Amino acid sequence: MNPLPNRPLLNNASNQGAGNAQMQGVGGSLQGGLALPNLPNFGGDAGLNGRPKKTGQDINNQEFPMVNGSMQQGDRGDKTSHFGGVLQQGSSVSGPPSDARPGDSLTQIVTNPTTRQGGQQEEEPTQLTAIFRPDEAWHEKLRQAREEASMRQNAGYMGGAMSGLNGQGVDGSGWDLGMGPEDSTGVIGAAVEDEDDEDGSSLLGEDSGKKWKVRKTLRNHLDAVRALAFHPKEMILASGGDDLTVKIWRMDAAQLASASAGRTIELEPQVTLRGHSEAVTSIAIAPHRGYLYSGSLDSTIRVWLIPPPQHSTYSPYEPLTAQKELIGHTDAVWGLALLREGSLLVSCSADGTVKVWDVTSIPGALRLTWGYNGVGVDSASGSDEKDVIGATTVEAIKTNLKWVAVGYNDGVVKIFDVETGKEVAALQAEGAGQFYLTIKVSFSDANPIEPSQVNAITSHPALPLLVVGYEDKNIRVFDLSTFTCTHSMLSHLDAVTSLSLDPSGHALVSGSHDNSIRFWDLLGQKQCIQEDTKHRQKSEEGVLAVQFHVNLPFMASAGADGLVKIWASS
């Protein structure tokens, strides 16, 4: 059936493209017995229904197939360009320069001579641009450029560290940064890792002992992560931060210990707890009771129920997860600590008070409250708000279950008895904050000098030692048997934000706003044995939390970049 009854069918393909005379003839007979209608002239073979043909032709209308983007040359001696165009007689082509590299945009100039009046020929250059595809080497070039930029930044950091050490007068008996020899870049201790390599580590010392490597990166938080807490019996991690949430992560310890842990499927939190109206600053886990406590800038402490293992990320919400909240502080809650197998919860706040909560029952009852000088001498609450000495962190003393250490923003660490609330001792190192009162009296309000506040405290699991990190970039070790400072060192290039000791008490890990995580030999030569910069700085903040697992060889770190990294020893 003919779909176009007004147009006869052409059965013979050889009759297509007939000459103009035959096309214009009326009633001309064809081999199939059909007559061609009167058709207008569309330019002969120059086009197809008025459209230009897409195949190139030579001067004899001989078509050439395309090979590798260019035309194949025939047996004739005509010169064809790289782009398939036919050059005129006498034309010349300037090829690419000898030093051309893959990926460059090269230009070929085709010169066509033209004859003017008088027989003079003048060359009219025509530029043709060829874009070459890049090879595989551009990945390596990009990586090298990024490494060079990082090395230049590390060079500035190292220079500042050395000048700071010289200015502090640190000798061989103090703490050593443990910087290694120069590498090929000429920067002392420079070792830049690819940020996507979760199995790498940067070592500063030549110690062949335990090394810590990143095994997993958790990327579910939407803002800075400020608090971390491990479950002491299971591989459960709780994290909280500026996105107002607390996330609980369940992980497989055997899988994390393998070298391929970082290349597995992205891990999602088991549950995300929402309820705080401000950033989460501290977290504590009570394993015996299955509860989690979180402190926040909204001055409240919330009690959460840890979900069972069968609870998945997409399980329905359980109303019993959010238990109650402990209300009593009037300002941000900066620290939480559990004592006596989770029966007592101690909290410290920017309002200058320390509160002891009896959490044997839910939601818990307030048991004791004291201020800067202990029970009965509350100097913080009786003065103006601007004169309140706020508490910044709290730590339970592991060698004495009746004591807690509280750090303040004036650089003083005080030991209190949780039973009576009385002050046991005040730990203060030279230069940390002992000049606070004299400065306040001598200079009045004309030129106030801010003391260096305490940012982090950790207690040794077996020895009467207390390690304290300060805003002035120093880490100091106190002997709780004599209440004196035994060691002091300039440890980072910026403020020390967090500290943690491993279960054996030999290794100390510290985090700082300089983006570095440093591991220290606490009981040996007191030097830095490993350094890594896996986190990125944001809003002048770097690493905000580090935490060792109590029973497993894992460590977690969190920073202002919103990432939580799981480290494993090897």
Side-chain angles (χ1 to χ4, degrees):
M1 177 179 178
N2 185 6
L4 300 175
N6 295 329
R7 296 186 183 181
L9 295 175
L10 296 179
N11 297 327
N12 193 350
S14 62
N15 292 330
Q16 299 181 11
N20 293 336
Q22 186 177 1
M23 291 174 62
Q24 296 177 358
V26 179
S29 60
L30 296 177
Q31 187 175 357
L34 298 177
L36 285 174
N38 293 330
L39 299 176
N41 187 2
F42 293 104
D45 293 335
L48 181 62
N49 291 338
R51 299 190 300 272
K53 292 185 177 181
K54 296 182 180 180
T55 56
Q57 294 181 341
D58 66 353
I59 57 177
N60 292 329
N61 291 333
Q62 181 180 359
E63 297 184 358
F64 291 87
M66 301 292 291
V67 177
N68 296 329
S70 63
M71 302 290 292
Q72 277 187 339
Q73 296 184 5
D75 297 333
R76 299 178 70 253
D78 298 337
K79 296 180 179 179
T80 58
S81 69
H82 178 74
F83 315 100
V86 180
L87 301 181
Q88 298 179 359
Q89 185 66 26
S91 301
S92 60
V93 179
S94 60
S98 59
D99 57 347
R101 296 175 299 177
D104 295 342
S105 177
L106 304 181
T107 301
Q108 289 186 342
I109 300 179
V110 181
T111 305
N112 297 323
T114 58
T115 304
R116 287 190 173 185
Q117 295 180 356
Q120 297 181 355
Q121 290 187 353
E122 182 177 354
E123 295 183 350
E124 296 181 356
T126 302
Q127 292 186 352
L128 300 176
T129 303
I131 300 177
F132 293 87
R133 295 183 179 179
D135 55 7
E136 297 298 331
W138 72 275
H139 292 282
E140 182 66 20
K141 295 177 182 178
L142 182 61
R143 187 186 65 81
Q144 292 178 358
R146 183 171 57 186
E147 288 185 356
E148 292 175 0
S150 300
M151 290 177 181
R152 287 193 297 268
Q153 183 179 8
N154 291 340
Y157 284 162
M158 292 302 176
M162 297 306 297
S163 61
L165 288 174
N166 294 333
Q168 294 290 332
V170 178
D171 54 6
S173 60
W175 289 71
D176 183 15
L177 288 177
M179 290 179 291
E182 295 184 357
D183 63 356
S184 60
T185 63
V187 180
I188 299 179
V192 182
E193 294 288 332
D194 188 356
E195 62 177 350
D196 296 329
D197 184 11
E198 295 183 343
D199 193 25
S201 63
S202 173
L203 297 179
L204 290 181
E206 296 181 356
D207 186 13
S208 59
K210 182 184 298 185
K211 301 176 181 62
W212 292 89
K213 299 179 181 179
V214 175
R215 296 300 191 191
K216 195 72 176 178
T217 300
L218 310 179
R219 298 180 173 91
N220 201 266
H221 279 281
L222 303 179
D223 210 334
V225 182
R226 299 187 179 275
L228 294 173
F230 271 114
H231 193 287
K233 296 183 179 181
E234 302 179 45
M235 192 56 194
I236 299 176
L237 176 68
S239 61
D242 289 357
D243 59 358
L244 318 184
T245 65
V246 176
K247 297 180 184 292
I248 298 179
W249 313 78
R250 281 189 180 268
M251 293 165 283
D252 186 2
Q255 184 181 10
L256 289 176
S258 64
S260 61
R263 293 181 287 273
T264 57
I265 301 176
E266 191 77 15
L267 183 64
E268 294 186 358
Q270 182 188 19
V271 66
T272 298
L273 307 176
R274 296 177 175 88
H276 286 290
S277 59
E278 296 291 342
V280 179
T281 57
S282 54
I283 296 176
I285 295 179
H288 300 282
R289 307 182 185 277
Y291 290 114
L292 181 147
Y293 305 91
S294 60
S296 171
L297 293 180
D298 60 9
S299 72
T300 65
I301 302 171
R302 288 188 174 266
V303 185
W304 312 90
L305 182 64
I306 299 177
Q310 58 269 21
H311 183 91
S312 65
T313 303
Y314 304 102
S315 298
Y317 174 75
E318 294 290 342
L320 295 178
T321 302
Q323 294 291 314
K324 297 290 183 178
E325 57 180 337
L326 305 178
I327 300 176
H329 289 289
T330 59
D331 209 334
V333 178
W334 285 111
L336 296 174
L338 286 168
L339 290 83
R340 301 179 183 177
E341 296 184 350
S343 61
L344 292 180
L345 176 68
V346 182
S347 61
C348 68
S349 171
D351 60 9
T353 63
V354 179
K355 296 182 181 294
V356 180
W357 309 82
D358 185 0
V359 291
T360 53
S361 61
I362 296 301
L366 181 61
R367 183 172 178 177
L368 195 61
T369 301
W370 65 80
Y372 182 76
N373 294 319
V375 172
V377 190
D378 194 354
S379 61
S381 60
S383 58
D384 296 336
E385 183 178 356
K386 65 178 182 179
D387 296 330
V388 171
I389 302 175
T392 57
T393 181
V394 61
E395 172 75 3
I397 305 300
K398 298 180 177 63
T399 56
N400 191 332
L401 300 182
K402 294 183 179 181
W403 289 357
V404 291
V406 182
Y408 292 90
N409 56 15
D410 63 347
V412 179
V413 178
K414 291 196 173 186
I415 309 297
F416 294 97
D417 191 326
V418 294
E419 293 289 342
T420 62
K422 299 293 184 179
E423 178 183 328
V424 177
L427 310 178
Q428 198 167 12
E430 181 180 357
Q434 65 179 16
F435 51 82
Y436 178 71
L437 296 178
T438 58
I439 290 293
K440 187 177 179 181
V441 173
S442 301
F443 293 91
S444 184
D445 294 333
N447 295 310
I449 299 178
E450 294 292 335
S452 180
Q453 73 175 9
V454 177
N455 289 335
I457 300 176
T458 184
S459 173
H460 197 279
L463 300 176
L465 297 178
L466 197 67
V467 185
V468 185
Y470 292 84
E471 187 75 16
D472 61 0
K473 315 172 189 178
N474 286 274
I475 295 178
R476 296 178 175 91
V477 182
F478 293 90
D479 188 351
L480 296 180
S481 59
T482 59
F483 301 111
T484 58
C485 179
T486 58
H487 294 286
S488 179
M489 79 280 194
L490 180 65
S491 56
H492 284 274
L493 305 178
D494 208 334
V496 180
T497 58
S498 54
L499 295 171
S500 183
L501 278 165
D502 72 338
S504 65
H506 289 82
L508 170 72
V509 62
S510 61
S512 171
H513 284 318
D514 63 2
N515 296 336
S516 67
I517 296 175
R518 295 184 176 180
F519 296 85
W520 306 86
D521 182 13
L522 181 62
L523 301 181
Q525 298 179 357
K526 299 181 176 61
Q527 66 176 2
C528 180
I529 57 177
Q530 181 179 343
E531 180 186 13
D532 247 305
T533 54
K534 294 296 185 182
H535 291 276
R536 297 297 180 92
Q537 195 174 46
K538 177 185 176 183
S539 301
E540 298 183 356
E541 290 185 313
V543 180
L544 299 176
V546 292
Q547 184 69 43
F548 274 110
H549 197 285
V550 176
N551 295 315
L552 298 175
F554 296 103
M555 192 273 292
S557 64
D561 54 4
L563 301 180
V564 178
K565 296 182 179 292
I566 308 299
W567 304 65
S569 62
S570 61

